[in-house]
Protein backbone atom coordinates (compact mmCIF):
# COMPACT_ATOMS: atom_id res chain seq x y z
CA UNK A 1 0.00 0.00 0.00
CA UNK A 2 1.33 3.42 -0.93
CA UNK A 3 1.96 5.64 2.07
CA UNK A 4 -0.23 8.71 2.36
CA UNK A 5 1.46 11.86 1.04
CA UNK A 6 2.62 14.32 3.65
CA UNK A 7 3.85 17.90 3.61
CA UNK A 8 6.34 18.72 6.35
CA UNK A 9 7.31 22.30 7.16
CA UNK A 10 10.31 23.20 9.32
CA UNK A 11 10.69 26.78 10.49
CA UNK A 12 14.15 28.21 9.77
CA UNK A 13 15.31 31.38 11.53
CA UNK A 14 18.64 33.09 12.29
CA UNK A 15 20.72 31.51 15.08
CA UNK A 16 18.74 28.29 15.04
CA UNK A 17 20.52 25.33 16.65
CA UNK A 18 21.27 23.36 13.52
CA UNK A 19 20.94 19.90 15.14
CA UNK A 20 17.47 20.84 16.41
CA UNK A 21 16.63 21.14 12.73
CA UNK A 22 18.81 18.62 10.94
CA UNK A 23 18.29 15.75 13.40
CA UNK A 24 14.53 15.44 12.85
CA UNK A 25 14.88 16.45 9.19
CA UNK A 26 17.08 13.40 8.62
CA UNK A 27 14.58 11.10 10.33
CA UNK A 28 11.38 12.54 8.87
CA UNK A 29 12.85 12.63 5.37
CA UNK A 30 12.49 8.84 5.54
CA UNK A 31 8.76 8.81 6.15
CA UNK A 32 8.27 8.10 2.47
CA UNK A 33 6.00 10.01 0.09
CA UNK A 34 6.69 13.23 1.96
CA UNK A 35 7.61 16.71 0.78
CA UNK A 36 9.84 18.47 3.27
CA UNK A 37 10.45 22.23 3.23
CA UNK A 38 12.76 24.45 5.26
CA UNK A 39 10.69 27.61 5.50
CA UNK A 40 11.93 31.13 6.17
CA UNK A 41 10.91 34.70 5.45
CA UNK A 42 13.08 34.76 2.31
CA UNK A 43 15.23 32.33 0.35
CA UNK A 44 18.45 33.94 1.57
CA UNK A 45 20.83 31.62 3.50
CA UNK A 46 20.00 31.55 7.20
CA UNK A 47 22.89 31.54 9.70
CA UNK A 48 22.86 28.82 12.36
CA UNK A 49 24.52 28.79 15.75
CA UNK A 50 27.15 26.38 14.41
CA UNK A 51 28.79 28.99 12.20
CA UNK A 52 27.37 27.91 8.86
CA UNK A 53 24.19 28.81 7.02
CA UNK A 54 21.32 26.73 5.68
CA UNK A 55 19.47 27.64 2.50
CA UNK A 56 15.66 27.65 2.82
CA UNK A 57 13.64 25.71 0.28
CA UNK A 58 10.50 27.85 0.60
CA UNK A 59 9.18 31.13 1.98
CA UNK A 60 6.23 31.71 4.29
CA UNK A 61 4.11 32.60 1.28
CA UNK A 62 5.03 29.33 -0.44
CA UNK A 63 3.78 27.14 2.42
CA UNK A 64 0.34 28.23 3.63
CA UNK A 65 -0.39 24.81 5.16
CA UNK A 66 1.32 21.57 6.17
CA UNK A 67 0.51 18.18 7.63
CA UNK A 68 3.43 18.44 10.05
CA UNK A 69 4.80 21.68 11.48
CA UNK A 70 8.14 21.49 13.28
CA UNK A 71 9.84 24.38 15.06
CA UNK A 72 13.46 23.95 16.18
CA UNK A 73 15.07 26.02 18.92
CA UNK A 74 18.27 27.89 19.63
CA UNK A 75 19.40 31.29 20.79
CA UNK A 76 17.48 32.80 17.88
CA UNK A 77 14.08 31.87 19.30
CA UNK A 78 13.62 35.27 20.95
CA UNK A 79 14.16 37.00 17.63
CA UNK A 80 11.69 34.61 16.03
CA UNK A 81 9.12 35.35 18.73
CA UNK A 82 9.63 39.08 18.24
CA UNK A 83 9.03 38.82 14.49
CA UNK A 84 5.35 39.20 13.58
CA UNK A 85 5.66 37.51 10.19
CA UNK A 86 7.27 34.44 11.75
CA UNK A 87 4.72 34.07 14.53
CA UNK A 88 1.82 34.72 12.17
CA UNK A 89 3.05 31.94 9.87
CA UNK A 90 3.57 29.49 12.74
CA UNK A 91 0.10 30.26 14.12
CA UNK A 92 -1.55 29.93 10.72
CA UNK A 93 0.10 26.66 9.73
CA UNK A 94 -0.16 25.18 13.22
CA UNK A 95 -3.88 25.89 13.45
CA UNK A 96 -4.70 23.25 10.86
CA UNK A 97 -1.65 20.98 10.91
CA UNK A 98 -2.21 17.33 11.69
CA UNK A 99 0.86 17.35 13.93
CA UNK A 100 2.29 20.42 15.70
CA UNK A 101 5.82 19.74 16.91
CA UNK A 102 9.00 21.31 18.23
CA UNK A 103 12.49 20.58 19.45
CA UNK A 104 14.29 22.27 22.34
CA UNK A 105 13.23 25.91 22.83
CA UNK A 106 11.13 25.71 19.68
CA UNK A 107 8.24 24.98 22.02
CA UNK A 108 8.48 28.58 23.24
CA UNK A 109 7.86 29.71 19.66
CA UNK A 110 4.84 27.42 19.45
CA UNK A 111 3.68 28.88 22.73
CA UNK A 112 4.10 32.45 21.53
CA UNK A 113 1.97 31.56 18.50
CA UNK A 114 -0.81 30.44 20.84
CA UNK A 115 -0.46 26.76 20.00
CA UNK A 116 0.32 25.33 23.45
CA UNK A 117 -2.43 26.76 25.66
CA UNK A 118 -3.71 23.88 27.77
CA UNK A 119 -1.12 21.42 26.47
CA UNK A 120 1.69 19.59 28.20
CA UNK A 121 5.02 20.37 26.55
CA UNK A 122 8.73 19.74 26.70
CA UNK A 123 11.63 22.11 26.21
CA UNK A 124 15.35 22.37 26.83
CA UNK A 125 15.79 21.88 30.57
CA UNK A 126 17.24 25.38 31.05
CA UNK A 127 14.16 27.09 29.58
CA UNK A 128 11.41 24.65 30.48
CA UNK A 129 10.31 26.89 33.36
CA UNK A 130 9.28 29.55 30.83
CA UNK A 131 6.54 27.46 29.21
CA UNK A 132 3.81 28.55 31.67
CA UNK A 133 4.18 32.08 30.26
CA UNK A 134 2.28 30.75 27.25
CA UNK A 135 -0.28 28.64 29.07
CA UNK A 136 1.60 25.35 28.66
CA UNK A 137 2.34 22.76 31.33
CA UNK A 138 6.07 21.95 31.39
CA UNK A 139 7.01 18.28 31.53
CA UNK A 140 10.53 17.02 32.23
CA UNK A 141 10.60 14.27 29.62
CA UNK A 142 12.66 13.74 26.50
CA UNK A 143 9.56 13.56 24.30
CA UNK A 144 6.16 14.87 25.40
CA UNK A 145 3.02 13.83 23.51
CA UNK A 146 -0.27 15.56 24.24
CA UNK A 147 -2.91 14.86 21.62
CA UNK A 148 -1.39 16.14 18.34
CA UNK A 149 1.37 18.14 20.02
CA UNK A 150 4.80 16.46 20.12
CA UNK A 151 7.52 18.47 21.81
CA UNK A 152 11.08 17.32 22.30
CA UNK A 153 13.60 18.25 24.96
CA UNK A 154 16.96 19.77 24.17
CA UNK A 155 18.71 19.37 20.81
CA UNK A 156 19.43 15.63 20.50
CA UNK A 157 15.89 14.83 21.65
CA UNK A 158 14.84 15.90 18.16
CA UNK A 159 15.93 12.50 16.85
CA UNK A 160 13.90 10.68 19.49
CA UNK A 161 10.84 12.85 18.86
CA UNK A 162 11.08 12.26 15.10
CA UNK A 163 11.28 8.50 15.55
CA UNK A 164 8.24 8.59 17.84
CA UNK A 165 6.34 10.62 15.25
CA UNK A 166 7.44 8.24 12.50
CA UNK A 167 6.00 5.34 14.49
CA UNK A 168 2.70 7.17 14.98
CA UNK A 169 2.39 7.93 11.27
CA UNK A 170 3.94 4.92 9.52
CA UNK A 171 4.00 2.33 12.28
CA UNK A 172 6.62 1.02 14.66
CA UNK A 173 8.18 -1.37 12.14
CA UNK A 174 8.97 1.49 9.78
CA UNK A 175 10.36 3.61 12.63
CA UNK A 176 12.58 0.75 13.75
CA UNK A 177 13.90 0.39 10.21
CA UNK A 178 14.72 4.11 10.07
CA UNK A 179 16.51 3.89 13.41
CA UNK A 180 18.55 0.96 12.14
CA UNK A 181 19.33 2.72 8.86
CA UNK A 182 20.66 5.71 10.81
CA UNK A 183 22.47 3.39 13.27
CA UNK A 184 20.97 5.43 16.05
CA UNK A 185 22.44 3.45 18.93
CA UNK A 186 23.90 6.13 21.21
CA UNK A 187 26.47 5.30 23.85
CA UNK A 188 27.53 8.71 25.18
CA UNK A 189 31.04 8.96 26.62
CA UNK A 190 29.77 10.76 29.73
CA UNK A 191 26.67 10.51 31.89
CA UNK A 192 26.12 14.26 31.79
CA UNK A 193 23.13 14.71 29.52
CA UNK A 194 20.80 16.11 32.17
CA UNK A 195 21.29 18.62 35.00
CA UNK A 196 20.46 15.90 37.50
CA UNK A 197 23.35 13.71 36.31
CA UNK A 198 25.83 16.33 35.15
CA UNK A 199 26.47 17.61 38.67
CA UNK A 200 26.31 21.04 40.25
CA UNK A 201 29.67 22.28 38.98
CA UNK A 202 28.90 21.49 35.34
CA UNK A 203 25.41 23.00 35.54
CA UNK A 204 26.74 26.18 37.10
CA UNK A 205 29.45 26.45 34.43
CA UNK A 206 26.79 26.04 31.74
CA UNK A 207 24.59 28.71 33.30
CA UNK A 208 27.51 31.15 33.50
CA UNK A 209 28.23 30.52 29.83
CA UNK A 210 24.61 31.14 28.82
CA UNK A 211 24.48 34.31 30.91
CA UNK A 212 27.39 35.63 28.83
CA UNK A 213 25.89 34.57 25.50
CA UNK A 214 22.32 35.65 26.20
CA UNK A 215 22.17 38.03 29.17
CA UNK A 216 18.72 38.66 30.59
CA UNK A 217 17.01 36.16 28.29
CA UNK A 218 14.28 35.22 30.79
CA UNK A 219 13.30 38.86 31.27
CA UNK A 220 13.36 39.39 27.52
CA UNK A 221 11.06 36.43 26.99
CA UNK A 222 8.65 37.69 29.65
CA UNK A 223 8.51 41.04 27.87
CA UNK A 224 7.89 39.34 24.54
CA UNK A 225 5.12 37.20 26.05
CA UNK A 226 3.44 40.28 27.49
CA UNK A 227 3.72 42.04 24.14
CA UNK A 228 1.86 39.13 22.55
CA UNK A 229 -0.91 39.30 25.12
CA UNK A 230 0.11 36.52 27.49
CA UNK A 231 -0.35 37.33 31.17
CA UNK A 232 2.19 34.71 32.28
Amino acid sequence: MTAEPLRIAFLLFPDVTQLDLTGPVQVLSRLGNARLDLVAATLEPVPTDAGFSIVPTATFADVPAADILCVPGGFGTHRAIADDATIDWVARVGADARWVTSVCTGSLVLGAAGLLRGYKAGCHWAQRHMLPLFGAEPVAERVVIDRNRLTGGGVTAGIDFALRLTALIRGEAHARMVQLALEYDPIPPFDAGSPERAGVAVVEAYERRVAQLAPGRDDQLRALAARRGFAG
Side-chain angles (χ1 to χ4, degrees):
M1 183 180 295
T2 303
E4 61 176 315
L6 295 169
R7 185 161 196 182
I8 309 170
F10 280 83
L11 176 65
L12 189 56
F13 53 85
D15 290 326
V16 65
T17 293
Q18 66 83 21
L19 188 55
D20 284 6
L21 175 74
T22 55
V25 163
Q26 186 65 64
V27 175
L28 297 180
S29 70
R30 306 202 178 193
L31 278 169
N33 200 16
R35 173 176 175 175
L36 192 151
D37 278 306
L38 309 180
V39 188
T42 73
L43 294 178
E44 293 297 314
V46 176
T48 73
D49 68 352
F52 61 83
S53 295
I54 296 176
V55 179
T57 63
T59 68
F60 296 151
D62 297 329
V63 184
D67 298 292
I68 301 170
L69 169 66
C70 185
V71 179
F75 283 117
T77 52
H78 286 193
R79 190 187 309 178
I81 290 171
D83 184 72
D84 291 341
T86 297
I87 294 301
D88 288 349
W89 179 80
V90 171
R92 185 169 63 253
V93 174
D96 295 319
R98 178 177 169 188
W99 299 100
V100 177
T101 74
S102 65
V103 182
C104 197
T105 53
S107 57
L108 300 175
V109 179
L110 291 182
L115 296 171
L116 290 183
R117 287 191 184 95
Y119 286 88
K120 296 177 181 178
C123 190
H124 189 283
W125 65 267
Q127 286 282 278
R128 192 187 302 132
H129 64 286
M130 303 303 285
L131 282 168
L133 279 176
F134 304 107
E137 178 184 343
V139 179
E141 293 181 6
R142 193 158 173 84
V143 180
V144 180
I145 303 175
D146 187 350
R147 290 157 282 176
N148 73 329
R149 267 53 167 175
L150 274 75
T151 48
V155 191
T156 58
I159 297 174
D160 300 62
F161 129 73
L163 287 169
R164 293 281 294 275
L165 182 57
T166 297
L168 289 170
I169 294 173
R170 300 296 194 219
E172 185 175 323
H174 185 88
R176 284 176 174 270
M177 182 178 65
V178 172
Q179 181 174 348
L180 175 61
L182 299 178
E183 199 176 353
Y184 181 53
D185 188 22
I187 306 176
F190 312 108
D191 188 17
S194 72
E196 293 78 16
R197 296 195 301 275
V200 173
V202 175
V203 171
E204 289 179 347
Y206 169 85
E207 290 175 340
R208 287 193 298 271
R209 176 65 172 161
V210 170
Q212 293 175 343
L213 294 172
R217 67 173 178 168
D218 283 7
D219 289 339
Q220 292 168 13
L221 187 58
R222 291 187 185 97
L224 287 168
R227 180 186 135 191
R228 297 210 169 272
F230 292 91

